[in-house]
Structures are given as structure tokens and as C-alpha cells.
Amino acid sequence: MSVVTISQAWPAAGRPFTVAELDRMPDDGRRYELLDGALVVSPRPATIHQFVAMRLLRALADACPDGLCVVPEPAVELGPQTEFDPDLVVVRMDQIGGAKFTEPPLLVIEIRSPSTALIDLNRKKAAYERFGVPSYWIVNPDPPQPELTIFELRDGRYALAAETSGPITVGRPFAVSIAPADLTRGLRP
């Protein structure tokens, strides 16, 4: 891969972005994702976001059975014009090895940020649903009232499986108990 500027990576006027062009974007401290050919740029996550992701990663990794693994911030290519960098995914071990995941993860988790909340709850959810991701979680890391929202794929559509601030035990993609308050314990509101 050669080093290019943003203007060199940008597609011709009026043409949607492709994953190949996204792969050429330089690392400039922003998070670049692609949604149906439209570039979605957001700032790097705040430290509370990263802290909650780390705690959730630890809880999932501790419960993860052999043959599955938890991966932080991977690239997931959903098609030639859509690629996301979710906060956490659970995949089969045989999916590990490439630069990005091109098959649906078993679980995708987004830690909600003020700048991405609507995209996570609407556009990304719809894209993951079309891609066939069996479970999609959204974590609201608000320290006074953290919340976990869980969507499960049923007959090709996401159904709300849970929306809770209290402890919950889930069975997909493996059995694990999560307490949203544990994810933010010790953080200031």
C-alpha cells in the first residue's frame, strides 16, 4: 500500500466511495467508515468509550468458548461500498487471519457515542441486518445509567431482544452475563 493524501484517495466527483478507496485513506486520527458509498467520518472515541469497550471485551473473552474469539475494532466489509469498524465483534476462529472480516460476525457491538448514536441505531443496524449478523448490541456508556440494547436476527429481521440497565444473561453467541453498571463502575458522571 502506498501513502496517499485524502484528496488522492477521494473518488471522482459524483461517484460513491468504494471499499478499495477507503483502504487508501491515510491514518489522520479520524475514524473512516463507509455506508452505501457515503464516507462516514467521526472523531476517535473518547476515553470513556474505550474504557467501556475494554471492560466488555474482558467480560466476553472470559466467557468465550473454544472456537470463538472476541476482536476489538476490526474492519468488517459488508459489500463493495460498505465497511464498518465496530468496537467489538465475536467471530469463529477460522475467520481470523485476513486484513478484515468479509463474512458476518456472530456478534457486533457498538459503544454509542454522541456523534454516532443515530447511525448506530438506524443505518448501521439496517446494514448489519442485511449482512446477516445474528446479534447486534449497542451499549450506552452513560456512567449514571449505562444501558445495553440487544437485537437478534429472526427470520431475516432484527427483533429487540432486550433493553436493560440491569444485569442480563444472554445465550447468543454464547452464554455470558453482563451488568451494564459494571462496565462504567468508578467513572464520574
Side-chain angles (χ1 to χ4, degrees):
M1 177 189 303
S2 62
V3 176
V4 297
T5 65
I6 290 176
S7 61
Q8 291 169 319
W10 211 264
R15 194 172 59 73
F17 254 95
T18 65
V19 168
E21 290 158 337
L22 181 67
D23 288 343
R24 295 181 58 208
M25 294 297 283
D27 183 2
D28 63 356
R30 291 182 181 87
R31 188 179 202 171
Y32 292 97
E33 296 180 297
L34 194 57
L35 177 59
D36 297 328
L39 190 63
V40 178
V41 183
S42 55
R44 292 247 182 236
T47 54
I48 188 171
H49 182 132
Q50 294 168 321
F51 182 83
V52 168
M54 182 266 313
R55 280 197 169 163
L56 186 54
L57 170 70
R58 188 176 332 157
L60 290 169
D62 287 349
C64 195
D66 290 341
L68 300 180
C69 65
V70 185
V71 180
E73 297 186 15
V76 178
E77 184 177 330
L78 287 73
Q81 294 183 338
T82 301
E83 181 177 299
F84 298 135
D85 296 329
D87 294 300
L88 299 169
V89 299
V90 172
V91 294
R92 296 182 321 276
M93 288 298 294
D94 65 6
Q95 290 177 273
I96 299 293
K100 56 182 83 175
F101 295 112
T102 56
E103 297 176 43
L106 301 172
L107 168 63
V108 168
I109 301 171
E110 295 285 359
I111 311 295
R112 205 169 88 181
S113 297
S115 63
T116 64
L118 288 176
I119 291 173
D120 291 347
L121 288 167
N122 296 299
R123 308 263 329 260
K124 281 187 178 183
K125 181 179 149 224
Y128 287 133
E129 180 182 78
R130 284 191 308 273
F131 193 51
V133 174
S135 297
Y136 179 50
W137 296 5
I138 300 173
V139 177
N140 178 353
D142 183 31
Q145 190 68 34
E147 187 174 78
L148 174 61
T149 303
I150 299 173
F151 296 96
E152 298 287 340
L153 200 60
R154 296 184 186 136
D155 298 321
R157 304 287 309 205
Y158 276 138
L160 180 64
E163 189 170 27
T164 184
S165 295
I168 186 170
T169 299
V170 299
R172 285 175 71 180
F174 52 85
V176 62
S177 295
I178 302 291
D182 288 346
L183 302 176
T184 61
R185 187 181 322 108
L187 297 175
R188 291 180 297 197

